[in-house]
Amino acid sequence: MCGIVAAVAQRNVQGILLEGLKRLEYRGYDSSGMTVLNNGSLTRHRALGKVAALAEQLDNAPLPGMSGIAHTRWATHGKPSEANAHPHHSSDQVAVVHNGIIENYEHIKQALQANGYTFTSETDTEVIAHLLADKLNSGLGLFEATQEVVSGLGGAYALGVMSVVEPGVVVGARQGSPLVVGVGIDEAFLASDPLALLQVTDRFIYLEEGDLVEIREQGAIQIVDRDGHQVERPVHTFEHGDGAASKGEYRHYMLKEIFEQPEVISAALEGRLSTNSVLVESFGPEAQVLFQNTRQIHIIACGTSYHAGLVARYWLERYAGVPVQVEVASEYRYRHPVVPDGTLFVTLSQSGETADTLAALRFAKTLHYVGTLAICNVPGSSLVRESDMSLMTHAGPEIGVASTKAFTTQLVALMLLTLSVSKAKGQPERAEIVAALQSLPALCKQVLGLAGQIETLSQAFAEKHHALFLGRGAHYPIALEGALKLKEISYIHAEAYPAGELKHGPLALVDSEMPVISVAPNDDLLEKLKSNLQEVRARGGQLFVFADQAVGINDQDGIRVMKLPHVHEALAPLLYTLPLQLLSYYVAVLKGTDVDQPRNLAKSVTVE
Ligand code: HGA
């Protein structure tokens, strides 16, 4: 999604803004732009495509100045083009960057056009620039003008605005899209994500919904809440080192993030297990009573997080005896769900700013849930702040658009939830699962050791246009996730089925050209899965099986087998995710796609 960076300093800010944009590029990348105030006038560059194109313009014609705003755009209104790229100006008096959607922009645009304002873009954002100019012309200061303008905006926005009438000031606003304030020494910044500013500060203020902020020379910061009251918000020190936002020795962020999984899974477990038991309090002081009273659970998420939710359904029903419904947020928020007494509402989101999931949470709060829990990777995010309870996944910054370590750490968090609900209900401790969790990082390391073999295997997919993924039980969602990963980054059409469904339709697709990927852990569905695999072989399909080393499936004509170490069956979905991530990655590399920023996709989907 779009990314905002803004700076007010006593030094040239062009480099700070450009570096911030590069770090935000993972959120949205069809175009970018920058406006800097220099000698009393606004100067701007905008470029279609990657931030590198903007950097080239800046090399040819630098934009020196001590205050500025910048943006990477992922279009929602109007095609990706230079004219639609942000910042948007009004008569070179006002400049605006915006993340989100202004739902009532058409109506506002007509009124502004009737008053003589000329529009130069197709965006919803441009109305904000002209509205601000209108307010400034009537004599208001930039802060008050912004306050008045946002009161008339519908939809979601994070804004950064500046004007020639108040040099050395940038005003920000947040309603429905993320915006943080970076606190420097004698300088201050705004950004959509702290990552964008780690090169200049590690101290951040997370704005609340409805907040307006003004940053000025000498680092002065003033925040006013939605009711117009001046407020103090706490300053947080960012936990992850700056190195977390760079690729290091890896060719892609995605590969780096796949290989970080042993480490981040350990981090996700840290402080949450005793010798042979889960610590229910990891979910907060109210968790024990709340889980005890939980009679069913609704899990709401999008994309990869939704697949994590589907795995959790198998776990929570089997190990905690609690009925679970899992649904994608964009469906849930527009229907009329029945909420039986004693239902806990759980959201899953890497960023905690996923627009549909956040909207689902807000909707759920109007219903009769016993409580809301967010499982999330970003402390201080909207989802976390607006939920009764939260559990951080501690995956560290995830830059690759295709989610990897955020997914496996969500699974860890969901297993902790399963064990906690079971324990709070007085069911027997699951010491063997706790022990298996503790040895999981080491097992993940072993599986990552198969990377070379999986890279070789990937060659069989380079010329393929379709693929089928099969799994049974809790591995059906893992098959779904494997198919999603392959689609996202290699653009190969992939579908996933519960293996038992094959004969009810998809078997018609199987011939010698169709690769069929299956996960075969050593569980009570293994024999049934083996029969399903025979159904594929009998039709000449090429099978690629990731199997427990003890299950006795071996390489033979038409079947390639990768052997995985034995793992407790409860945790097999976690372990079997890793080879599927590696397979997608190596296929994408072979196909030469943009692995970290696949076409048409964006990280942290902050628009509906
Ligand atoms: N609506 C604006 C901003 C889009 C956005 O926030 N994307 O993530 C536009 O289309 O320019």
Side-chain angles (χ1 to χ4, degrees):
M1 300 290 103
C2 296
I4 290 174
V5 202
V8 179
Q10 295 177 50
R11 53 177 165 153
N12 191 350
V13 295
Q14 176 192 300
I16 298 171
L17 297 176
L18 187 64
E19 176 60 23
L21 290 187
K22 286 181 183 156
R23 289 164 178 247
L24 284 180
E25 218 185 354
Y26 74 98
R27 296 166 59 94
Y29 44 90
D30 62 44
S31 53
S32 60
M34 182 187 298
T35 294
V36 167
L37 188 92
N38 189 16
N39 285 333
S41 45
L42 296 172
T43 46
R44 170 176 70 177
H45 284 321
R46 294 181 294 174
L48 190 59
K50 302 260 174 185
V51 172
L54 180 71
E56 204 181 309
Q57 283 193 26
L58 290 165
D59 276 348
N60 297 334
L63 291 183
M66 294 195 288
S67 59
I69 56 179
H71 190 260
T72 52
R73 176 171 190 252
W74 185 78
T76 64
H77 289 63
K79 60 185 175 301
S81 68
E82 195 179 314
N84 286 335
H86 302 212
H88 290 287
H89 285 191
S90 182
S91 343
D92 285 332
Q93 194 196 1
V94 179
V96 175
V97 287
H98 163 223
N99 174 13
I101 289 172
I102 306 303
E103 278 177 342
N104 54 342
Y105 84 102
E106 274 175 323
H107 173 71
I108 301 173
K109 187 169 178 175
Q110 281 162 13
L112 285 164
Q113 280 169 329
N115 282 340
Y117 285 95
T118 307
F119 281 74
T120 56
S121 80
E122 304 155 303
T123 63
D124 49 344
T125 305
E126 196 180 344
V127 297
I128 303 170
H130 298 311
L131 282 174
L132 275 170
D134 211 51
K135 298 286 177 202
L136 292 170
N137 288 337
S138 74
L140 289 180
L142 186 61
F143 192 79
E144 294 71 29
T146 312
Q147 213 166 15
E148 286 214 357
V149 167
V150 298
S151 68
L153 300 179
Y157 50 82
L159 297 178
V161 307
M162 61 191 298
S163 167
V164 292
V165 300
E166 274 184 68
V169 175
V170 171
V171 174
R174 94 154 266 174
Q175 178 64 53
S177 295
L179 193 67
V180 299
V181 183
V183 182
I185 298 169
D186 292 336
E187 52 191 18
F189 313 92
L190 300 177
S192 306
D193 185 324
L195 275 184
L197 298 174
L198 288 180
Q199 81 277 21
V200 281
T201 186
D202 63 352
R203 299 171 67 228
F204 295 95
I205 298 171
Y206 296 92
L207 295 174
E208 299 279 331
E209 289 292 19
D211 278 357
L212 229 70
V213 59
E214 179 187 84
I215 58 172
R216 283 189 171 269
E217 305 105 322
Q218 263 95 44
I221 296 164
Q222 181 197 312
I223 302 171
V224 163
D225 69 11
R226 68 164 86 242
D227 301 320
H229 299 127
Q230 200 158 327
V231 283
E232 293 285 328
R233 302 270 180 236
V235 178
H236 298 269
T237 302
F238 194 77
E239 279 178 33
H240 308 290
D242 195 7
S246 76
K247 270 192 282 225
E249 74 208 57
Y250 293 95
R251 183 165 167 195
H252 294 100
Y253 281 110
M254 182 179 177
L255 190 62
K256 175 179 179 240
E257 288 158 8
I258 289 173
F259 274 86
E260 278 171 356
Q261 287 175 112
E263 189 192 321
V264 295
I265 287 172
S266 297
L269 290 170
E270 213 169 72
R272 293 166 175 173
L273 297 175
S274 63
T275 323
N276 52 13
S277 180
V278 68
L279 299 170
V280 182
E281 308 75 35
S282 322
F283 288 85
E286 332 72 28
Q288 171 70 31
V289 174
L290 189 63
F291 292 164
Q292 205 174 331
N293 296 330
T294 293
R295 300 206 326 237
Q296 49 271 305
I297 297 180
H298 287 174
I299 300 179
I300 303 300
C302 303
T304 288
S305 301
Y306 169 67
H307 296 155
L310 289 176
V311 173
R313 182 175 64 179
Y314 287 90
W315 286 345
L316 280 156
E317 296 200 342
R318 174 163 180 186
Y319 299 113
V322 176
V324 176
Q325 272 184 36
V326 190
E327 192 168 359
V328 290
S330 53
E331 285 301 313
Y332 171 85
R333 62 182 285 198
Y334 290 116
R335 62 181 190 88
H336 302 275
V338 174
V339 182
D341 286 348
T343 307
L344 175 69
F345 185 83
V346 179
T347 53
L348 309 173
S349 163
Q350 189 282 128
S351 66
E353 303 293 347
T354 314
D356 282 317
T357 310
L358 200 51
L361 169 67
R362 289 173 182 161
F363 171 50
K365 285 166 83 172
T366 66
L367 305 174
H368 301 288
Y369 285 97
V370 288
T372 56
L373 164 68
I375 292 180
C376 185
N377 193 31
V378 181
S381 61
S382 303
L383 208 62
V384 169
R385 284 186 285 111
E386 294 183 29
S387 299
D388 301 330
M389 300 188 296
S390 58
L391 190 78
M392 291 306 122
T393 50
H394 296 318
E398 190 179 67
I399 308 291
V401 165
S403 183
T404 52
K405 61 177 181 167
F407 176 69
T408 43
T409 51
Q410 276 174 349
L411 288 178
V412 169
L414 287 162
M415 183 48 97
L416 293 173
L417 176 66
T418 303
L419 297 175
S420 297
V421 172
S422 164
K423 185 174 171 182
K425 289 185 167 299
Q427 293 162 8
E429 293 277 2
R430 301 260 176 200
E432 75 294 351
I433 300 184
V434 173
L437 274 171
Q438 276 152 339
S439 52
L440 192 61
L443 281 180
C444 288
K445 253 190 206 145
Q446 273 188 50
V447 172
L448 293 173
L450 299 173
Q453 289 177 52
I454 296 173
E455 186 173 8
T456 308
L457 194 76
S458 67
Q459 286 160 8
F461 291 78
E463 304 302 322
K464 300 293 181 201
H465 298 289
H466 308 278
L468 270 181
F469 284 73
L470 301 178
R472 292 196 77 127
H475 294 89
Y476 165 51
I478 298 308
L480 284 169
E481 176 57 13
L484 178 65
K485 233 41 0 160
L486 193 69
K487 279 185 267 209
E488 284 179 314
I489 60 166
S490 75
Y491 315 149
I492 292 176
H493 167 228
E495 291 194 58
Y497 281 93
E501 272 293 288
L502 205 55
K503 53 189 170 296
H504 298 287
L507 204 51
L509 295 171
V510 173
D511 61 14
S512 60
E513 284 307 299
M514 177 65 88
V516 180
I517 300 108
S518 176
V519 284
N522 198 359
D523 62 16
D524 48 10
L525 290 170
L526 179 66
E527 289 313 315
K528 296 201 180 299
L529 180 73
K530 281 183 175 170
S531 311
N532 302 139
L533 300 185
Q534 285 311 324
E535 292 162 11
V536 173
R537 260 325 285 144
R539 274 85 188 169
Q542 292 172 273
L543 272 166
F544 298 86
V545 186
F546 295 94
D548 187 296
Q549 59 200 15
V551 304
I553 304 179
N554 293 310
D555 262 353
Q556 49 186 282
D557 199 22
I559 307 189
R560 300 275 297 276
V561 184
M562 298 287 308
K563 301 218 168 157
L564 268 67
H566 182 64
V567 58
H568 188 290
E569 70 171 297
L571 300 186
L574 257 151
L575 199 69
Y576 280 73
T577 300
L578 272 52
L580 299 187
Q581 294 169 343
L582 285 167
L583 181 66
S584 305
Y585 172 76
Y586 287 118
V587 173
V589 169
L590 267 183
K591 298 199 73 152
T593 58
D594 191 344
V595 172
D596 285 331
Q597 298 179 354
R599 68 183 182 202
N600 305 341
L601 298 181
K603 191 86 180 160
S604 181
V605 187
T606 53
V607 293
E608 183 176 355

